[in-house]
Amino acid sequence: MGKRIVVALGGNALGNTPLEQLEKVKIAADIISDLVKDGNDVIIGHGNGPQVGMINLAMDYSANGKEKTPLMPLVECGAMSQGYIGYHLQQALGQAFKEKGINKTAVSVVTQVEVAEDDKAFEHPTKPVGMFYTKEKADELAREKGFTFVEDAGRGYRKVVPSPKPLHIVEIDAVKKMVDAGLVVITIGGGGIPVVKKNDRLVGIDAVIDKDKSSAKLASDLNADFLLILTAVDKVCINFNKPDQKELDEINVEQAMKYISEGQFAKGSMLPKVEACLEFVNSSDDRCAIITLLEKASDAVKGLTGTKIVK
């Protein structure tokens, strides 16, 4: 019997340009379609860090250039990224389904996620977005634009923006109906478009919600069996990049909390993934989260690889 699986696909796995993304989504679609072919209900969440940063940078450049185009807020840039990433994914999945004889349709949902206006994240930006820079270039942009940059897991410097906690997926009822109808739903793109409630109305706010934490919320709301976080490594490691580096096959909540307290997981990369897994696993009994390499998604669900996190 198939399982209900929420797949969290990293924005970095989708490339840095639209043309590069068109090629990379074919790889992701081929892998995700195998999960569907195995009889699983698959729901896809995806990141947008590189993409929303690219859009935001281009819009800022245009607004400050000769043409003086309207300034585009970050929240609208996030909505744009949902649209074009979703378009690429559903197109690639449609082709993969056709080639493999899978009678399924992929559909993208422009998805809002409610956050708290007084979330402390707005005082301390932490979410890396956009491209990687050298320290010299980051310092230059910080002086010229007032941006805040951080070093991101040894890969360079990236602009950071607020990353509030996801509280409620606004379109969750629609997503549930689509999943129950047999559609393969692409949702909470980039963690969802962040909105706050003002006078009982939803209003967009500039931020980027962590896609892994939104995916954990989505998986919990949909009563999924698995939260599958696909990233650039086969397994989570402790003592990463040290002589005594060790891969983790399976850990429970207590062990994961111990490793977090020891600072084993990098804040800009693995830590939010592990924290998201803990949120999902703790939300109910008999739930399992897995972190693994994109190319090994199917094997991970079968218990052959990846790092499994259980209660």
Side-chain angles (χ1 to χ4, degrees):
M1 185 175 177
K3 301 293 185 180
R4 177 165 287 187
I5 304 170
V6 169
V7 174
L9 184 64
N12 287 308
L14 301 175
N16 294 308
T17 69
L19 286 177
E20 186 180 355
Q21 183 172 289
L22 271 171
E23 293 304 313
K24 290 206 169 187
V25 292
K26 294 176 184 176
I27 299 171
D30 181 58
I31 294 159
I32 292 171
S33 63
D34 283 340
L35 293 174
V36 177
K37 190 173 184 179
D38 288 340
N40 300 300
D41 288 333
V42 177
I43 307 93
I44 303 163
H46 63 80
N48 71 344
Q51 294 83 1
V52 72
M54 174 187 67
I55 294 169
N56 189 222
L57 185 64
M59 291 296 179
D60 283 352
Y61 181 84
S62 179
N64 292 310
K66 292 181 180 179
E67 299 300 325
K68 298 294 181 186
T69 58
L71 189 65
M72 192 66 65
L74 179 63
V75 63
E76 270 75 21
C77 293
M80 290 180 185
S81 73
Q82 275 196 6
Y84 96 82
I85 295 171
Y87 149 61
H88 283 177
L89 278 169
Q90 67 186 43
Q91 188 180 70
L93 283 165
Q95 185 61 32
F97 293 162
K98 182 179 178 181
E99 292 171 357
K100 297 179 182 182
I102 302 169
N103 186 25
K104 289 282 187 178
T105 299
V107 61
S108 302
V109 179
V110 176
T111 313
Q112 304 168 90
V113 173
E114 188 178 345
V115 301
E117 190 173 10
D118 61 354
D119 192 304
K120 294 296 184 183
F122 290 106
E123 299 174 13
H124 305 286
T126 58
K127 176 66 177 174
V129 299
M131 62 189 296
F132 292 88
Y133 294 99
T134 64
K135 187 176 188 309
E136 293 73 21
K137 185 63 177 177
D139 288 344
E140 178 186 330
L141 289 170
R143 288 192 303 269
E144 293 179 356
K145 305 289 187 180
F147 297 156
T148 301
F149 288 86
V150 297
E151 198 280 325
D152 187 357
R155 296 174 290 180
Y157 288 77
R158 297 174 80 189
K159 177 184 173 182
V160 288
V161 299
S163 183
K165 179 181 178 180
L167 300 178
H168 171 63
I169 299 169
V170 177
E171 287 78 18
I172 189 63
D173 288 342
V175 172
K176 284 178 181 177
K177 290 175 183 177
M178 292 178 185
V179 173
D180 290 342
L183 295 169
V184 176
V185 183
I186 303 159
T187 181
I188 58 160
I193 302 165
V195 295
V196 296
K197 198 165 274 186
K198 291 186 178 182
N199 299 321
D200 207 34
R201 297 183 66 177
L202 295 176
V203 179
I205 190 166
D206 280 355
V208 174
I209 305 169
D210 183 83
K211 72 97 178 36
D212 295 314
K213 293 185 178 181
S214 286
S215 294
K217 175 65 176 165
L218 176 68
S220 178
D221 288 350
L222 294 176
N223 196 27
D225 298 292
F226 290 103
L227 169 63
L228 182 59
I229 296 181
L230 302 179
T231 184
V233 295
D234 187 11
K235 297 181 181 182
V236 179
C237 295
I238 55 173
N239 304 320
F240 186 64
N241 273 343
K242 296 179 181 179
D244 57 345
Q245 176 176 308
K246 178 184 176 183
E247 293 183 335
L248 302 174
D249 296 319
E250 181 175 321
I251 56 174
N252 60 32
V253 171
E254 183 179 354
Q255 290 170 315
M257 293 300 295
K258 176 177 177 290
Y259 291 139
I260 289 173
S261 69
E262 293 172 354
Q264 289 284 358
F265 309 128
K267 290 183 179 180
S269 55
M270 193 54 70
L271 179 60
K273 294 175 173 55
V274 174
E275 289 177 336
C277 290
L278 293 177
E279 288 178 16
F280 173 64
V281 169
N282 280 325
S283 64
S284 183
D285 293 333
D286 301 321
R287 287 180 172 175
C288 172
I290 304 172
I291 300 173
T292 195
L293 193 67
L294 169 63
E295 289 79 3
K296 297 190 176 181
S298 185
D299 284 345
V301 171
K302 295 171 184 174
L304 303 176
T305 190
T307 296
K308 182 186 292 187
I309 300 176
V310 296
K311 203 163 190 178

